[in-house]
Amino acid sequence: MLMITVGACNVANGQKDLALNRPYTLSVPPNYQNTAPGDDKSLLTDGVYTSGYFWNSKQTAGWHKASRISIEIDLGKSVDFNQLTFNTARREQASVYYPSNVFVFVSDDGSTYQYVGDVMAGGDNVAGDYKIQKFQLKTAMVHGRYVKLVAIVQGLLLFCDEIQIFNAGGGASSRMAFSNKPVDEQVDDLVQKDAANRAGLAKNLQYQAAVGSISSNNKGASGAAFASQLKQQLGNDFTVNFFNAWDALGTVYKPVKRSSDNVNVKTVINGHSYVGFIVTNLSQEKANYTINVSGDQHTGRLTLYTVPFLTSHMNYQQTADPLQIADKQLTLDVGESRLFLAELTGSGAGSSKNSISVSDGKTSQTVTINVSVAKIRFDESKFALNTNVWAYLYYPMLNTRKATAVKDLYNHHINTAVIPPNALGDIQHNTGSALNGYLSAFGNYKPRTLLLYMNFVSAENLNYCKKNDFLSDGWKSDFKIWYQNLSKVVTQSGWNMQNVYVYPYDEIEVKDVDKLIAFAQWAKSAVPGIKLYMTVGKLPDNKISQLNQYMDVMQVFEDYIYTVPTVADKSWIYNTKGNAELLSPYNYYRLMSWKAFANGYKGVGFWAYADSKDAFNNILKTRYFAGSTNYAAVYVDGDNIVSSRRWEGFMMGVEDYELLQLYAKKLGASKAKALAASVLGAPGDASQADAARDKIISALSE
């Protein structure tokens, strides 16, 4: 029965699987721990489909944190074929998605390749609940010996258990047009083309939805049809609408008739506020606009940013995220909209007016921002909330931009720095040069707190101490000497050891908890003044209770802040979601600080300020080229750090926390907690935090 089943799976229209038991090579070995080992070279063509849960089977190949995976099958000789299948699985809840694309190429000589098609093209490639899906590419007959599949990964994970190739009949192969262009370059072109096609299709569907809401004729909706309908309704060739700075924005924005040309903004000295507005072209041709900013800015600075769309690698979705300094000139296609953010930074108490006018050369529209700066001053060195975003200065995104990054972190109220293991140096032979060099990069923008990430998961790090066993007498002696030497370097560099914490394990696993407890017990009794920090997700309650006795700071994964029995006054919150460019500037980034205040937590943070991949200089290019998934809150452009709505949203949350602290001191903790609860109770309304902020500033000004 088993042989009959397997045989049936390897036949299409009476033809056998040409890939059956054929050898293949992989650009990235499988590395997901619960699936096939990394040296497996047979399961993808052995004709056996996974039985049971897809990514808990050794019959499945799994990849983690791989952006692009090439699989080249050697068919042994040149043959004709016209069908190929790729069996994979998804489960959106577990952040597992089908690949965006699986591009197929064929070659006779393994050197020049012809593109055949994309296995993943079609309506079945969507996110959803757990499902195993065999995707199929049907093509005209092609001829070749080597078949190369290039999978473009969505998110962090990709799984496959079988690839099959068939000649299902239907005619002779066409003449092959092999390209001398390297496959990687062909794939880059295909990704860009596919991204543009998908973006265009999605935009047309949004136009259709918008036009359909005001007209029964929604066939063939386009930017022109959308603009025409809206112009009839609003009577203008273009519109300027206020827009909440933190709201999600689709590529098609439906403007409305403005009820007001004015908006009132409150902030404090050294504090910030943001006003969003959108310009939409409703004429029947591409239009050029001039933007002018004027007014009295004696109470603060106004900086105008444009927020263009970029393409995420996650199914090539469009998102308005990077903040670029706005030019005075703007060009929009028919029906196109552009988001702008006006950043107000308080510099002195008082009131002022700022006007932003937009002109198409025939008419102009103006919005006025009335700014009120309260006589309340933020002091960067005294912010109550601890903030940690794991900004490793040696990462490619930052290592040539250290000074710019450090100043940007300071300006966004980041007061904690994690010092990576490679900057701490050999525990036994540390001369302090690596650490001193790393700390010197902070210059005048020193973070208040340092976390010394030792990473005891690394056997190499554990064995720095004369190769002695962990926590042996020799190891303990060497650790104490290392810590004393390190303390000298840190204090000479300008830090107080009261604000320095040893960080032995990151996201500690159950298997390492007893080691950490043993280390903490010894260190607290034998190393004067040592402080300990850790990150933690879900652990058994009894282990958390034990760790609470010794940890000075526990940074808790946000999913567990309501269930992990931590001590709130010494606990911080963090989160680590990928595909960060698609995350909400409001829900994910800004409200984290409100959750911290409401629950008594003293710190917040997220992974990560920058990504570990190579610098990504073209911020508007498809994000896929930066890697399989993205965590960074910022972008880079030449020598510059480019902010994002998300990064500004996080900064606003830190300021919100400071204002809540002041509000609690004046009106009582219960009122401040109730206000925080009201904001958190409506997470889908991005106006709530700004409204509460205005209420706080008004109360503090009385």
Side-chain angles (χ1 to χ4, degrees):
M1 287 291 291
L2 178 62
M3 291 183 67
I4 292 172
T5 302
V6 172
C9 288
N10 288 280
V11 175
N13 294 339
Q15 299 296 320
K16 291 185 177 180
D17 175 13
L18 300 173
L20 183 61
N21 295 324
R22 297 306 307 167
Y24 55 85
T25 57
L26 300 168
S27 62
V28 182
N31 61 0
Y32 187 73
Q33 61 182 359
N34 297 329
T35 56
D39 59 357
D40 187 280
K41 295 293 178 62
S42 62
L43 70 87
L44 293 178
T45 58
D46 63 4
V48 179
Y49 283 80
T50 296
S51 176
Y53 208 58
F54 204 73
W55 40 83
N56 281 337
S57 170
K58 297 300 181 183
Q59 189 55 42
T60 300
W63 291 270
H64 180 231
K65 293 185 178 180
S67 59
R68 180 184 297 191
I69 301 161
S70 296
I71 306 165
E72 184 164 67
I73 303 170
D74 182 357
L75 299 180
K77 62 180 180 180
S78 292
V79 297
D80 292 338
F81 66 91
N82 59 1
Q83 284 188 23
L84 184 145
T85 67
F86 185 91
N87 203 51
T88 184
R90 73 176 189 205
R91 187 182 180 218
E92 187 174 18
Q93 186 178 2
S95 298
V96 181
Y97 305 91
Y98 299 141
S100 297
N101 312 87
V102 177
F103 299 118
V104 178
F105 299 83
V106 64
S107 173
D108 264 335
D109 57 9
S111 178
T112 58
Y113 290 81
Q114 179 188 15
Y115 174 60
V116 176
D118 182 1
V119 184
M120 306 305 297
D124 290 334
N125 189 5
V126 294
D129 295 335
Y130 178 73
K131 184 179 182 181
I132 299 173
Q133 178 81 27
K134 183 192 290 187
F135 288 88
Q136 184 177 69
L137 172 65
K138 293 184 178 181
T139 182
M141 196 72 71
V142 295
H143 184 82
R145 171 176 174 174
Y146 300 96
V147 180
K148 178 174 284 192
L149 297 85
V150 182
I152 307 301
V153 182
Q154 286 198 82
L156 290 171
L157 298 159
L158 173 66
F159 299 97
C160 178
D161 72 342
E162 197 66 22
I163 298 168
Q164 296 180 309
I165 300 171
F166 299 101
N167 179 336
S173 62
S174 58
R175 184 174 181 178
M176 306 298 287
F178 297 111
S179 173
N180 290 319
K181 195 172 189 177
V183 168
D184 279 347
E185 292 184 18
Q186 292 189 58
V187 171
D188 289 349
D189 293 342
L190 289 165
V191 167
Q192 290 285 55
K193 182 178 179 181
D194 193 29
N197 288 341
R198 293 197 200 194
L201 177 60
K203 197 168 188 177
N204 285 339
L205 290 174
Q206 291 181 50
Y207 278 137
Q208 180 172 315
V211 172
S213 65
I214 56 176
S215 170
S216 60
N217 179 17
N218 58 12
K219 294 182 179 179
S222 63
F226 171 79
S228 177
Q229 292 281 0
L230 268 295
K231 182 178 178 180
Q232 290 179 36
Q233 187 180 62
L234 301 176
N236 298 314
D237 281 334
F238 72 96
T239 62
V240 180
N241 279 170
F242 285 119
F243 186 83
N244 188 288
W246 318 112
D247 267 341
L249 178 66
T251 51
V252 173
Y253 170 74
K254 183 182 174 183
V256 296
K257 190 173 182 63
R258 284 189 293 165
S259 59
S260 173
D261 294 330
N262 297 273
V263 63
N264 299 319
V265 174
K266 294 181 181 179
T267 190
V268 302
I269 300 170
N270 297 331
H272 301 80
S273 284
Y274 293 82
V275 174
F277 66 91
I278 292 178
V279 181
T280 305
N281 178 12
L282 300 182
S283 72
Q284 288 298 297
E285 59 186 7
K286 182 179 288 189
N288 298 316
Y289 304 91
T290 300
I291 300 175
N292 286 308
V293 178
S294 61
D296 178 7
Q297 297 189 37
H298 75 276
T299 59
R301 302 184 308 276
L302 186 151
T303 305
L304 188 62
Y305 296 96
T306 181
V307 192
F309 285 92
L310 60 77
T311 307
S312 169
H313 84 292
M314 284 295 291
N315 209 21
Y316 308 129
Q317 297 173 67
Q318 302 288 297
T319 180
D321 189 48
L323 269 58
Q324 296 181 295
I325 296 294
D327 292 328
K328 288 188 176 181
Q329 303 300 317
L330 170 67
T331 300
L332 294 177
D333 286 329
V334 178
E336 184 182 1
S337 297
R338 178 67 59 84
L339 172 64
F340 291 84
L341 290 191
E343 177 191 46
L344 289 306
T345 306
S347 57
S351 300
S352 62
K353 290 182 181 292
N354 295 276
S355 296
I356 301 171
S357 64
V358 181
S359 172
D360 64 355
K362 296 175 291 185
T363 61
S364 64
Q365 296 184 44
T366 301
V367 296
T368 300
I369 303 173
N370 302 308
V371 183
S372 175
V373 180
K375 199 174 182 179
I376 302 164
R377 182 181 298 273
F378 282 156
D379 185 342
E380 196 72 48
S381 65
K382 296 180 180 179
F383 264 59
L385 189 63
N386 299 287
T387 48
N388 175 27
V389 292
W390 284 270
Y392 291 143
L393 299 179
Y394 71 93
Y395 274 0
M397 283 182 69
L398 306 182
N399 64 2
T400 61
R401 307 173 181 87
K402 289 188 180 73
T404 304
V406 164
K407 185 176 181 181
D408 184 59
L409 290 161
Y410 178 87
N411 288 340
H412 286 78
H413 315 314
I414 306 305
N415 56 25
T416 301
V418 180
I419 312 303
N422 61 1
L424 295 177
D426 186 314
I427 290 179
Q428 180 187 1
H429 304 106
N430 180 26
T431 63
S433 60
L435 178 58
N436 187 66
Y438 195 92
L439 294 178
S440 67
F442 291 101
N444 295 325
Y445 301 104
K446 286 182 171 60
R448 180 172 64 202
T449 302
L450 298 180
L451 308 178
L452 310 178
Y453 180 30
M454 301 181 68
N455 189 17
F456 280 172
V457 173
S458 164
E460 181 182 10
N461 288 6
L462 282 176
N463 290 333
Y464 274 154
C465 295
K466 295 182 180 178
K467 306 302 179 186
N468 289 302
D469 291 338
F470 180 52
L471 289 183
S472 66
D473 289 343
W475 191 96
K476 292 176 181 177
S477 176
D478 287 342
F479 180 90
K480 290 168 72 174
I481 294 171
W482 172 82
Y483 187 75
Q484 290 170 2
N485 292 339
L486 177 144
S487 298
K488 292 178 183 178
V489 174
V490 170
T491 53
Q492 289 171 0
S493 297
W495 274 269
N496 186 332
M497 288 301 293
Q498 288 293 315
N499 298 322
V500 178
Y501 297 75
V502 170
Y503 177 6
Y505 289 92
D506 182 59
E507 297 184 352
I508 192 166
E509 297 182 23
V510 174
K511 64 182 178 63
D512 294 317
V513 170
D514 289 340
K515 293 178 185 177
L516 177 55
I517 291 172
F519 169 75
Q521 288 174 331
W522 167 76
K524 285 290 187 176
S525 63
V527 184
I530 194 170
K531 292 188 172 183
L532 302 178
Y533 163 96
M534 66 177 289
T535 54
V536 62
K538 181 62 177 174
L539 289 176
D541 289 353
N542 64 320
K543 296 298 183 184
I544 292 288
S545 297
Q546 289 178 276
L547 289 166
N548 271 329
Q549 298 177 49
Y550 302 104
M551 294 298 112
D552 296 282
V553 173
M554 296 179 71
Q555 193 153 6
V556 183
F557 189 59
E558 187 175 318
D559 286 355
Y560 300 115
I561 63 172
Y562 303 109
T563 57
V564 171
T566 55
V567 179
D569 283 345
K570 68 176 185 180
S571 295
W572 303 0
I573 300 172
Y574 78 107
N575 215 330
T576 61
K577 290 184 180 178
N579 313 312
E581 68 272 20
L582 298 177
L583 296 173
S584 168
Y586 185 73
N587 287 344
Y588 185 81
Y589 289 94
R590 187 171 180 179
L591 290 188
M592 185 183 290
S593 296
W594 290 80
K595 293 172 186 174
F597 183 85
N599 292 281
Y601 282 66
K602 300 304 182 184
V604 294
F606 59 88
W607 179 268
Y609 175 69
D611 283 326
S612 60
K613 59 194 73 127
D614 290 339
F616 185 63
N617 288 314
N618 184 346
I619 64 171
L620 298 183
K621 198 174 181 181
T622 303
R623 285 288 286 170
Y624 157 71
F625 291 104
S628 62
T629 194
N630 309 295
Y631 295 93
V634 296
Y635 306 89
V636 294
D637 184 16
D639 294 331
N640 300 317
I641 300 290
V642 177
S643 188
S644 67
R645 285 207 292 160
R646 296 171 293 117
W647 186 222
E648 301 307 307
F650 183 78
M651 178 189 69
M652 289 293 286
V654 178
E655 293 187 2
D656 295 340
Y657 187 101
E658 189 71 9
L659 289 170
L660 282 163
Q661 290 280 107
L662 296 173
Y663 189 73
K665 287 179 182 178
K666 183 168 184 176
L667 297 177
S670 60
K671 286 191 175 181
K673 289 285 182 75
L675 185 59
S678 69
V679 171
L680 293 172
D685 183 354
S687 69
Q688 288 291 311
D690 284 337
R693 186 184 178 103
D694 286 353
K695 180 177 180 179
I696 292 171
I697 292 174
S698 294
L700 296 176
S701 300
E702 292 176 353

